[in-house]
Amino acid sequence: MAQTSPGIPLDTAAIMSLVLEGILYGFSVLMFLGTIWTIAYKRCIRDINRPTVAVATLLLLLSTAHVVAGIIRVEDGLVNHCDTSQGGSVAFFADVSQETFVVKDVLLILQTLLGDGLAIYRCYIVWQSAWIIVIPCMLWCGIAVFGIFTVYNFSRASSNDIFTSQNGHFVATFITLTLVTNLLSSGLLAYRIWTNERQVSGIRASKGKLPLLRVFVDAAILYSAALCSSIICFALSNNGLYVMADLHVPVISIAFYMVFIRIASSQHSQDYMSTVLRGTSEIEHRNSQQYPMQSLHDIYKQNDASLTFLPNTPKAHHYLA
């Protein structure tokens, strides 16, 4: 039996999700090309940040595979099973044990784990403390566990209602843990950058503008908005959840490409990241050796707030990206 959940019919939801995902996928491909260009522009092969290229490529591959699986699923439902399946296309799309549905869920979970893992890693790089990421790592493990349980139950599901069955509890927990992990990791990362910048800008002749902080916040808001929409759809038992689930994959890619591009671009300037990532303690230590009889305030005045005495920090950029 097909689901009678409110909202758009499941066959309409499948078409809508494929179209919207295709649009966002196109944007993600453009941003991927922008990421690679920014990373490789005027750089030798040995100077290219290979881990960033690998992660960006993996995000694109998972997004591409998800789109392909979606196309196959829509074709199966609207062409191959429109007459033979009991209940028609709606019954086919309601069957969560279908192979294409399970494959799409696996790709979604892998993309989510990759995105959240990257956010946690950046948080660790900025804080330089393993204790700060203990809770995010525990949440990440919870996402992996509930993701595995969700896929396993979907593959053996006897009920197609994901809103009231045990599958629904796994789905709700998975989405909630993902949202909490994203907000916590992004919040810790943004707080660290903001506090370091505030300490440094307090002794600068001019204020910093925190451009990197803004792009982190924008990426977190974009990702969180998609997750919140899914939670709302689930709470209302609305079939729009299927649409939002498909949109998560390209949204994750877009959110992290935004950060990739901004960090790679900031490597060409010495006035921001070298100050924020190293913090004021390292600045004071370095300048106390160079100017042992001068105060830090005098040093900043002499350098006219340009911070030109600070060396560039490609290593910090390398790991953060």
Side-chain angles (χ1 to χ4, degrees):
M1 294 294 292
Q3 285 178 262
T4 58
S5 302
I8 57 179
L10 287 175
D11 52 354
T12 304
I15 298 174
M16 181 181 298
S17 64
L18 182 61
V19 172
L20 295 177
E21 183 183 7
I23 295 173
L24 292 179
Y25 173 75
F27 280 114
S28 69
V29 171
L30 291 177
M31 295 190 70
F32 168 78
L33 295 176
T35 300
I36 299 301
W37 182 87
T38 306
I39 293 174
Y41 180 66
K42 291 184 178 180
R43 286 186 173 90
C44 300
I45 296 179
R46 64 177 180 274
D47 296 329
I48 294 177
N49 191 338
R50 296 182 181 180
T52 299
V53 174
V55 172
T57 303
L58 186 56
L59 287 171
L60 179 67
L61 291 177
L62 291 174
S63 297
T64 303
H66 194 270
V67 171
V68 172
I71 294 173
I72 295 174
R73 177 170 172 78
V74 169
E75 181 185 6
D76 286 344
L78 298 181
V79 178
N80 300 334
H81 295 84
C82 60
D83 297 325
T84 58
S85 297
Q86 184 180 1
S89 299
V90 175
F92 173 83
F93 290 117
D95 186 4
V96 297
S97 63
Q98 287 289 336
E99 181 179 353
T100 51
F101 186 85
V102 175
V103 169
K104 288 177 63 178
D105 279 346
V106 170
L107 294 172
L108 171 60
I109 292 169
L110 291 176
Q111 186 87 327
T112 301
L113 291 174
L114 179 61
D116 289 347
L118 185 59
I120 294 173
Y121 179 71
R122 285 173 176 163
C123 186
Y124 166 75
I125 291 302
V126 171
W127 281 87
Q128 288 296 301
S129 172
W131 291 104
I132 203 68
I133 62 169
V134 170
I135 296 180
C137 286
M138 294 174 62
L139 293 172
W140 187 89
C141 292
I143 293 172
V145 170
F146 279 97
I148 293 173
F149 281 144
T150 300
V151 170
Y152 177 78
N153 284 343
F154 278 164
S155 64
R156 303 170 61 88
S158 58
S159 172
N160 293 332
D161 189 358
I162 68 170
F163 298 104
T164 59
S165 63
Q166 185 183 27
N167 295 332
H169 301 310
F170 287 136
V171 171
T173 305
F174 176 83
I175 299 174
T176 303
L177 288 176
T178 303
L179 177 61
V180 174
T181 304
N182 174 61
L183 291 177
L184 181 59
S185 300
S186 301
L188 289 172
L189 180 62
Y191 175 76
R192 181 65 168 180
I193 295 177
W194 177 72
T195 53
N196 281 346
E197 173 64 18
R198 187 178 62 172
Q199 293 173 4
V200 173
S201 63
I203 51 178
R204 282 179 180 172
S206 60
K207 288 186 177 181
K209 295 184 178 181
L210 299 176
L212 187 60
L213 176 59
R214 292 194 185 100
V215 78
F216 275 123
V217 172
D218 290 342
I221 290 175
L222 176 63
Y223 191 14
S224 299
L227 293 171
C228 289
S229 299
S230 297
I231 292 176
I232 293 173
C233 290
F234 183 87
L236 298 176
S237 298
N238 193 291
N239 289 332
L241 176 64
Y242 293 93
V243 179
M244 293 308 306
D246 286 344
L247 297 185
H248 282 174
V249 176
V251 164
I252 292 173
S253 298
I254 291 173
F256 286 93
Y257 289 152
M258 289 168 55
V259 179
F260 283 149
I261 293 174
R262 184 60 188 89
I263 292 177
S265 299
S266 67
Q267 290 182 357
H268 300 289
S269 61
Q270 301 179 0
D271 59 342
Y272 180 74
M273 285 299 298
S274 58
T275 303
V276 174
L277 296 181
R278 287 183 177 274
T280 56
S281 60
E282 186 175 339
I283 296 173
E284 293 175 356
H285 175 72
R286 180 168 56 249
N287 287 280
S288 63
Q289 297 177 347
Q290 184 176 0
Y291 306 98
M293 302 302 295
Q294 289 181 283
S295 67
L296 185 61
H297 179 267
D298 294 336
I299 297 171
Y300 274 96
K301 288 182 64 178
Q302 289 181 7
N303 287 275
D304 195 23
S306 63
L307 303 182
T308 55
F309 65 92
L310 292 175
N312 197 9
T313 55
K315 185 175 181 180
H317 288 272
H318 177 87
Y319 288 114
L320 186 60

